[in-house]
Structure formats: C-alpha cells, structure tokens
Amino acid sequence: MRVFCIFITAIIFIAGPLQAQVQKNSFSIIGYYSGDAKSVDAYPVEKLTHLIYSFCHLRGNKMVVDTYKDTLRLQHLVTLKQRNPSLKIILSIGGWGGCAPCSAVFNKAEGREEFAASVKALNSYFKTDGIDLDWEYPSIEGYPGHQYLPADKHNFTLLLQALRKSLGKTPEISFAAGGFTSFLQSSVEWNTIAPLVNKVNLMSYDLTNGYSTTSGHHTPLYSTPQLKESADNAVQYLDSIGFPLNKLVIGAATYGRIFEIFNNANNGLYQPCKFQRGLSFKSINLDSLQKDGYTYYWDDIAKAPYLYNASKKLLLTYDNGKSIALKTQYAIYKKLNGIMFWELAEDKTTNGLLDMMYTTAHPAN
C-alpha cells in the first residue's frame, strides 16, 4: 500500500506542473555567486531572476564590501542587467563561517539600526536590489566557535524589522534558512517575520554534511525512512504552521559530496562514514566516474541520484538534471516562490542545472 501511495503522489505532482505553466519572472530562479568578475559572463544569466552576491561582511556594526577587487566584482554583476533587464542583484552577508559577530551585533538595537542603514547605503551606491541574510544560525549551533544565544531568535525578527524600516517597501529582503528540523523549530519566529520578507531561501542541501557520521543524500527532495530531512519535510513543516508557501524557495546544489564509507553495504547509503571532499557539478563526468569504478543509482523515494564505488568505498551524493527537474516541478505544483541553488560558479556554463531549472519552468521558451 505504501508503494502504491508514493506512486500516485508522484503522478499527481509531476502532472500538475506540466499543466500549470509559469510566466517568465513569476517563478524565481535564484543563484548565489562567489566567483570572480569575468567568469560569470559565460553563464546564461538571462535564465535567472536573482543573482545573490556572496558575500559582504560585517565590520563593526556595518555591512561592507571588503576589498577593491570585491567592489569591481559587484559592479560587474550589476552590469549583467544589460543582458537581463529584469535581473535583481542582491547583496548577501554571512555564509558558513562568515557570521562570527552576527549574534553580538544583532542582539543590540544600535547594532541592528547601524547595520540596516549600511545596507541601504550599499544598495544605493551599487544600485543593487536588496539584502539576503545568511546567518548560520540564530539560537542554535552553527560554525564551530560562533556565538549563539536563545535571544537570537527574537533579535532576528527585530533585525528584519529594522531592515524593512530602513529599506522601505521596494528592495527585497530574504534570508537563507537551514532546511533541517532544529533550525525550522528553533531559529526563527516564522509567523512574525512573514510580512517583513519577500523570500525564504531554504537550504535544502547539506542535509548530510561535513559533520555527518552516517551517509545519506545531501539534497533529497523527499524524506526516506532513514533520513527525515528533505526539501519536502521543510516545506510541510512551514505549511503546517501557516507560513505562506508563496514566499518559500527550495534549494538545490550545483556540487556533490563524497563520503568514505566504513561498512560496504546498501550501496553506501545510510552507513557509518566520514566526509572526504566536495565536487562541483561541472567536474562530475559520469562516464569517467563509471570507468573509475562508480555505479550510478537513483533513489525513487528521495528522488535523488548517487554514485557508489564499492572497491574504494566512496559515495557521491549530488543533484543531477533529473532531480533538478523534479524539484522545479515540485516548487511549481506547490505554488512556491521558486528554486535557488548554491552556486552558479560550480554549475556548467552550458547544459547545466540552471538550464534544467529554466526549461522545466518555461518549457515553451
């Protein structure tokens, strides 16, 4: 009976998006970008609605662009609007390891207000379109050694209020949200912040990560009996507490994770493991990997691909064109705001995952 239900659900959600075409720019396709100024020119930025510059930094209470090189990079990203006039360039702050002072700064009214004023000033100077907060994480442990306090949860709300007051109605405010249960339940006052933000970018990747000791998919669409965390699990939770789905953006990954597996069973899935390294999607060559001993598998419950090398005991978990198409269809069917990914510089410049997102959302274009 369970298999039958899964099959019917899959038919419903796949058929729905094919009938519900989306208008260009009504469905967000958002890429983070931390590459250099010129490499971005090779990518099909016409297929993006948003490009998020990663990252600005905190200096004192202010958001700053650290170096002259970063200034030139950001200025070049803004010129991409000549190719795509509707493209929004968003400033981002934080990232994994990039938000050490966030708790201390944002826990003070003076810090929040000075920060919000600096965001407005930078957007005005660079002619950018808003702010994306990537604080990993309010109120729960994130990067080792970074301060986190119970008060962070409410102070994050106060920070968003200060930003909206400073920026006004037009500039966009978004934040990168952990796609896992402890963040969803403990880091954000969801119903209070809903009117303040345009988007929530769910990081439904790294769900099996560099600290994991049991292997699994790092960016699954659906939960499995062995791995609760997934994009759908996050969406279902937020829907259950009344957060507006039209502000949710699910996440995809243009990189894979390779794990050393200690118990050579179940094709490497859900086994004791140790993270080895990341691998960009543009470097994943299926033919070469198969010649090297990897076997391709598809998990039809998680809707996720993976590769396993039994002789070397190495598992590669990643997104591919098939999983990206299903995630995009899911976002359309659920009437979410869109899909986002980390990051553009790790995708292929042609026939990449961004191309699949766009053609799935706009099959007639």
Side-chain angles (χ1 to χ4, degrees):
M1 179 60 72
R2 185 172 181 275
V3 173
F4 177 77
C5 292
I6 291 169
F7 178 70
I8 292 298
T9 301
I11 291 175
I12 291 170
F13 113 70
I14 291 173
L18 297 179
Q19 297 167 1
Q21 302 293 317
V22 294
Q23 297 298 315
K24 194 174 189 300
N25 301 321
S26 67
F27 181 81
S28 297
I29 300 178
I30 302 169
Y32 285 81
Y33 185 71
S34 68
D36 62 40
K38 293 299 182 182
S39 295
V40 71
D41 292 341
Y43 289 91
V45 297
E46 295 81 5
K47 297 178 179 179
L48 291 167
T49 59
H50 298 70
L51 188 60
I52 301 180
Y53 169 74
S54 309
F55 290 101
C56 301
H57 304 280
L58 273 175
R59 183 183 300 156
N61 293 336
K62 295 182 179 180
M63 185 169 79
V64 299
V65 177
D66 264 0
T67 67
Y68 180 64
K69 182 178 179 181
D70 287 335
T71 295
L72 292 178
R73 179 180 1 178
L74 185 50
Q75 288 173 333
H76 183 73
L77 294 184
V78 174
T79 69
L80 297 175
K81 293 186 177 189
Q82 296 170 14
R83 289 172 53 186
N84 180 359
S86 61
L87 179 66
K88 293 185 183 296
I89 306 296
I90 306 295
L91 303 175
S92 186
I93 188 165
W96 186 249
C99 220
C102 286
S103 176
V105 169
F106 299 149
N107 280 348
K108 300 176 294 184
E110 178 186 359
R112 294 189 296 268
E113 290 168 8
E114 193 171 346
F115 175 78
S118 71
V119 171
K120 181 178 181 179
L122 280 179
N123 273 291
S124 177
Y125 177 78
F126 285 108
K127 296 182 173 55
T128 46
D129 302 291
I131 175 72
D132 180 74
L133 299 168
D134 193 356
W135 176 2
E136 301 185 26
Y137 305 101
S139 295
I140 63 172
E141 186 175 10
Y143 190 85
H146 286 191
Q147 175 178 296
Y148 61 99
L149 302 171
D152 293 340
K153 183 175 183 178
H154 181 60
N155 286 314
F156 185 68
T157 301
L158 297 177
L159 172 62
L160 291 170
Q161 290 174 344
L163 283 166
R164 184 53 75 197
K165 181 178 179 181
S166 176
L167 297 179
K169 295 181 179 179
T170 302
E172 292 200 6
I173 299 175
S174 62
F175 66 92
F180 52 94
T181 301
S182 60
F183 180 97
L184 297 170
Q185 293 181 347
S186 303
S187 292
V188 177
E189 296 174 335
W190 290 104
N191 294 327
T192 306
I193 63 94
L196 302 171
V197 299
N198 300 88
K199 296 173 176 63
V200 174
N201 294 325
L202 283 169
M203 293 186 287
S204 44
Y205 43 75
D206 291 342
L207 299 179
T208 303
N209 54 60
Y211 298 95
S212 298
T213 56
T214 300
S215 64
H217 303 293
H218 97 85
T219 180
L221 177 56
Y222 287 105
S223 304
T224 69
Q226 300 88 349
L227 182 62
K228 174 184 177 182
E229 311 295 3
S230 68
D232 177 66
N233 181 69
V235 170
Q236 284 200 52
Y237 173 78
L238 291 172
D239 189 28
S240 75
I241 63 172
F243 192 83
L245 294 185
N246 64 0
K247 293 193 174 187
L248 292 183
V249 179
I250 57 171
T254 54
Y255 64 96
R257 287 183 171 274
I258 297 177
F259 292 88
E260 298 177 32
I261 305 301
F262 299 148
N263 184 7
N264 202 352
N266 197 36
N267 300 323
L269 275 182
Y270 314 123
Q271 304 303 312
C273 72
K274 179 182 179 182
F275 174 65
Q276 186 190 78
R277 63 187 175 96
L279 184 66
S280 66
F281 180 73
K282 64 186 178 184
S283 300
I284 296 176
N285 184 302
L286 195 57
D287 288 340
S288 296
L289 288 166
Q290 288 176 326
K291 288 177 183 178
D292 192 39
Y294 283 87
T295 299
Y296 174 86
Y297 297 95
W298 173 259
D299 186 330
D300 205 37
I301 298 176
K303 305 299 182 188
Y306 63 104
L307 294 163
Y308 186 57
N309 190 317
S311 61
K312 296 182 179 180
K313 295 185 180 179
L314 294 176
L315 174 79
L316 170 58
T317 166
Y318 68 112
D319 262 324
N320 66 1
K322 183 177 180 179
S323 66
I324 289 294
L326 290 169
K327 284 181 177 178
T328 306
Q329 290 173 352
Y330 174 93
I332 295 169
Y333 178 68
K334 290 284 189 179
K335 295 182 171 58
L336 307 185
N337 190 281
I339 188 168
M340 67 85 175
F341 60 98
W342 180 274
E343 64 144 324
L344 187 64
E346 298 200 72
D347 198 9
K348 296 177 180 178
T349 55
T350 57
N351 298 317
L353 299 183
L354 170 56
D355 289 310
M356 181 57 73
M357 293 174 200
Y358 185 85
T359 57
T360 303
H362 310 286
N365 294 322

